[in-house]
Amino acid sequence: MRGNLRFIIGGLMALFTFLTYYCKRSVNDVTGEVQHVDMTAQQEIALGLQAAPEMAQQYGGIHPDQQAGAAVERIGQQIVRSTKASQTPYKFQFHLLADENTINAFALPGGQVFITAGLLKNLKTEGQVAGVLAHEIGHVVARHSAEQIAKSQLTQGLSGAAAIAAYDPNNPRSAVGSAAALMIGKLVTLRFGREDELEADKLAVDFTPKAGFDPRSMIQVMNILDQESKGSNPPEFLSTHPNPGNRIGHLQEEITAEFPGGVPAGLKP
């Protein structure tokens, strides 16, 4: 009876989780994709603004070089003005973080975009900076954070249901099945992360030339990241980011598809 009750409870939890996730659908105005999200754009903006100070503090705060920070803001806003990002409700702001050692860039939901001084000092051209910022803008307009929250709720709910159904307090070996269910949920979430990175790359290939920058500069950024990693990247299967070498191939395919006759002349490298 107890075993049957666990299966019933687990099944009901799984059903409720599925229904909750799949009933929340909306069409993304930029990508045209049907998405499962549980937040409005205004909620994303509020969440990003609330989290921004704490995130900045983790990287030593905002960099004191106001001229460099203004250059990052200028390039970022140029991309926003020139693309569909300007037609979204998101309030984009671009921040240069003081951390000179960490190589990173990220975006919070709603339009708060950050790049570390450690990454910026490795970039040689405005086109390379534009490629990084356009990638992060892509994350925002594709609503990846909102999707990740919804997907996380789905995988956690299903994993929890599976754990309840599998675990038997009178059979310690069943704990192995519960742990496996939780790990599967984690790996599914990581796979979603890799797909988001590739979609953000694709959007950046679209955004950068519209703002006057050469999309091939993004390949240069990947080469820089690959060189800086010095082989320290985790295996791609366990990473939310595809390794730079693999992303180069995807970028080349996207650039060729976008410009089958060759990249137009006159774009800033």
Side-chain angles (χ1 to χ4, degrees):
M1 286 294 294
R2 290 181 180 179
N4 291 337
L5 181 60
R6 288 197 308 273
F7 281 115
I8 292 172
I9 293 174
L12 290 175
M13 284 183 60
L15 179 61
F16 176 78
T17 300
F18 266 119
L19 292 176
T20 301
Y21 178 76
Y22 282 101
C23 287
K24 295 171 182 174
R25 296 163 56 92
S26 63
V27 178
N28 189 296
D29 292 334
V30 176
T31 66
E33 295 180 350
V34 176
Q35 297 179 298
H36 301 278
V37 295
D38 192 23
M39 302 177 70
T40 66
Q42 295 304 317
Q43 288 174 325
E44 290 179 81
I45 293 170
L47 180 61
L49 288 171
Q50 182 179 0
E54 181 179 348
M55 291 298 297
Q57 195 59 41
Q58 292 182 20
Y59 293 87
I62 300 300
H63 200 287
D65 188 339
Q66 296 182 4
Q67 184 175 357
V72 169
E73 176 73 14
R74 172 179 56 81
I75 295 171
Q77 295 298 347
Q78 184 173 339
I79 298 168
V80 172
R81 288 194 304 270
S82 306
T83 64
K84 289 183 178 180
S86 64
Q87 301 170 17
T88 69
Y90 301 119
K91 311 298 182 184
F92 285 93
Q93 291 180 300
F94 300 87
H95 311 278
L96 175 61
L97 297 171
D99 192 332
E100 298 275 354
N101 299 315
T102 303
I103 296 176
N104 197 14
F106 57 91
L108 297 177
Q112 300 297 309
V113 178
F114 299 84
I115 181 172
T116 63
L119 174 54
L120 185 64
K121 70 181 180 182
N122 282 280
L123 304 180
K124 309 303 181 185
T125 68
E126 284 196 1
Q128 292 175 6
V129 177
V132 171
L133 298 181
H135 173 92
E136 300 305 332
I137 293 169
H139 278 306
V140 175
V141 300
R143 306 191 72 187
H144 287 157
S145 293
E147 277 192 313
Q148 284 286 1
I149 291 171
K151 289 172 180 176
S152 177
Q153 291 171 340
L154 173 64
T155 55
Q156 288 176 6
L158 294 178
S159 298
I164 288 174
Y167 181 63
D168 181 357
N170 297 318
N171 180 11
R173 292 185 178 180
S174 68
V176 175
S178 299
L182 294 173
M183 178 58 71
I184 290 171
K186 181 65 174 176
L187 292 176
V188 168
T189 302
L190 291 175
R191 181 175 61 81
F192 287 141
R194 290 197 296 272
E195 292 171 353
D196 289 348
E197 294 299 327
L198 295 177
E199 183 175 36
D201 280 348
K202 180 177 180 178
L203 288 168
V205 169
D206 176 50
F207 289 169
T208 46
K210 286 182 169 62
F213 299 101
D214 194 324
R216 292 172 296 189
S217 296
M218 296 175 62
I219 295 176
Q220 299 167 8
V221 173
M222 293 302 112
N223 286 323
I224 291 170
L225 294 177
D226 198 25
Q227 183 177 359
E228 288 297 319
S229 72
K230 297 179 176 64
S232 62
N233 281 343
E236 184 176 350
F237 182 64
L238 296 176
S239 173
T240 57
H241 289 65
N243 68 54
N246 289 347
R247 288 173 69 180
I248 288 174
H250 285 280
L251 284 168
Q252 290 171 332
E253 291 175 2
E254 295 296 342
I255 292 171
T256 300
E258 186 78 12
F259 304 105
V263 176
L267 297 174
K268 290 183 182 180

Short mmCIF file of all heavy atoms in Angstrom, two decimals, residues 52 62 69 72-73 93-97 111-116:
data_model
loop_
_atom_site.label_atom_id
_atom_site.label_comp_id
_atom_site.label_asym_id
_atom_site.label_seq_id
_atom_site.Cartn_x
_atom_site.Cartn_y
_atom_site.Cartn_z
N ALA A 52 21.00 43.34 -9.72
CA ALA A 52 22.19 43.96 -10.31
C ALA A 52 23.24 44.40 -9.28
O ALA A 52 24.43 44.09 -9.45
CB ALA A 52 21.79 45.12 -11.21
N ILE A 62 31.48 48.30 -9.75
CA ILE A 62 31.66 48.93 -11.06
C ILE A 62 33.08 49.47 -11.19
O ILE A 62 33.64 50.03 -10.24
CB ILE A 62 30.63 50.07 -11.26
CG1 ILE A 62 29.21 49.50 -11.16
CG2 ILE A 62 30.85 50.75 -12.60
CD1 ILE A 62 28.87 48.43 -12.17
N GLY A 69 33.96 52.55 -19.10
CA GLY A 69 32.56 52.17 -18.85
C GLY A 69 31.63 52.85 -19.84
O GLY A 69 30.66 52.23 -20.32
N VAL A 72 31.74 51.04 -23.20
CA VAL A 72 30.93 49.82 -23.18
C VAL A 72 29.45 50.17 -23.33
O VAL A 72 28.72 49.54 -24.11
CB VAL A 72 31.17 49.04 -21.87
CG1 VAL A 72 30.14 47.92 -21.71
CG2 VAL A 72 32.59 48.47 -21.83
N GLU A 73 29.01 51.19 -22.60
CA GLU A 73 27.60 51.62 -22.68
C GLU A 73 27.28 52.11 -24.10
O GLU A 73 26.21 51.79 -24.64
CB GLU A 73 27.35 52.74 -21.67
CG GLU A 73 25.96 53.35 -21.72
CD GLU A 73 24.87 52.46 -21.16
OE1 GLU A 73 25.20 51.46 -20.49
OE2 GLU A 73 23.68 52.76 -21.41
N GLN A 93 20.98 48.42 -19.83
CA GLN A 93 22.10 49.16 -19.27
C GLN A 93 23.32 48.26 -19.30
O GLN A 93 23.22 47.05 -19.08
CB GLN A 93 21.81 49.58 -17.82
CG GLN A 93 20.72 50.64 -17.70
CD GLN A 93 20.47 51.03 -16.25
OE1 GLN A 93 20.12 50.19 -15.42
NE2 GLN A 93 20.68 52.31 -15.94
N PHE A 94 24.48 48.85 -19.59
CA PHE A 94 25.70 48.08 -19.77
C PHE A 94 26.74 48.53 -18.75
O PHE A 94 27.01 49.72 -18.62
CB PHE A 94 26.22 48.25 -21.20
CG PHE A 94 25.23 47.79 -22.23
CD1 PHE A 94 24.25 48.66 -22.71
CD2 PHE A 94 25.23 46.48 -22.70
CE1 PHE A 94 23.30 48.25 -23.64
CE2 PHE A 94 24.29 46.06 -23.63
CZ PHE A 94 23.33 46.93 -24.09
N HIS A 95 27.30 47.56 -18.04
CA HIS A 95 28.17 47.86 -16.90
C HIS A 95 29.53 47.18 -17.08
O HIS A 95 29.61 46.00 -17.44
CB HIS A 95 27.54 47.35 -15.60
CG HIS A 95 26.11 47.77 -15.43
ND1 HIS A 95 25.73 49.00 -14.95
CD2 HIS A 95 24.95 47.09 -15.68
CE1 HIS A 95 24.41 49.07 -14.89
NE2 HIS A 95 23.91 47.93 -15.33
N LEU A 96 30.59 47.95 -16.80
CA LEU A 96 31.95 47.40 -16.77
C LEU A 96 32.31 47.10 -15.32
O LEU A 96 32.32 48.00 -14.47
CB LEU A 96 32.95 48.40 -17.36
CG LEU A 96 34.42 47.99 -17.29
CD1 LEU A 96 34.67 46.69 -18.05
CD2 LEU A 96 35.31 49.11 -17.83
N LEU A 97 32.60 45.83 -15.03
CA LEU A 97 32.90 45.40 -13.67
C LEU A 97 34.39 45.51 -13.37
O LEU A 97 35.23 45.37 -14.26
CB LEU A 97 32.44 43.96 -13.47
CG LEU A 97 30.92 43.75 -13.62
CD1 LEU A 97 30.59 42.26 -13.62
CD2 LEU A 97 30.16 44.46 -12.51
N GLY A 111 17.52 43.27 -18.99
CA GLY A 111 18.40 44.18 -19.72
C GLY A 111 19.63 44.68 -19.01
O GLY A 111 20.34 45.55 -19.54
N GLN A 112 19.95 44.18 -17.82
CA GLN A 112 21.18 44.55 -17.14
C GLN A 112 22.31 43.66 -17.65
O GLN A 112 22.30 42.45 -17.43
CB GLN A 112 21.02 44.41 -15.63
CG GLN A 112 19.93 45.28 -15.03
CD GLN A 112 20.20 46.76 -15.22
OE1 GLN A 112 21.28 47.26 -14.90
NE2 GLN A 112 19.21 47.47 -15.73
N VAL A 113 23.28 44.27 -18.36
CA VAL A 113 24.35 43.52 -19.02
C VAL A 113 25.70 43.91 -18.39
O VAL A 113 25.96 45.09 -18.17
CB VAL A 113 24.37 43.80 -20.53
CG1 VAL A 113 25.52 43.05 -21.20
CG2 VAL A 113 23.04 43.40 -21.16
N PHE A 114 26.52 42.91 -18.13
CA PHE A 114 27.80 43.12 -17.44
C PHE A 114 28.95 42.49 -18.23
O PHE A 114 28.79 41.42 -18.81
CB PHE A 114 27.78 42.51 -16.05
CG PHE A 114 26.73 43.08 -15.13
CD1 PHE A 114 25.43 42.61 -15.17
CD2 PHE A 114 27.04 44.09 -14.23
CE1 PHE A 114 24.45 43.13 -14.33
CE2 PHE A 114 26.09 44.61 -13.38
CZ PHE A 114 24.78 44.13 -13.43
N ILE A 115 30.09 43.16 -18.21
CA ILE A 115 31.32 42.59 -18.75
C ILE A 115 32.44 42.92 -17.78
O ILE A 115 32.50 44.04 -17.24
CB ILE A 115 31.64 43.14 -20.17
CG1 ILE A 115 32.92 42.49 -20.71
CG2 ILE A 115 31.72 44.65 -20.17
CD1 ILE A 115 33.19 42.84 -22.18
N THR A 116 33.29 41.96 -17.48
CA THR A 116 34.37 42.20 -16.55
C THR A 116 35.55 42.89 -17.23
O THR A 116 35.76 42.73 -18.44
CB THR A 116 34.87 40.89 -15.93
OG1 THR A 116 35.42 40.06 -16.97
CG2 THR A 116 33.75 40.14 -15.21
#
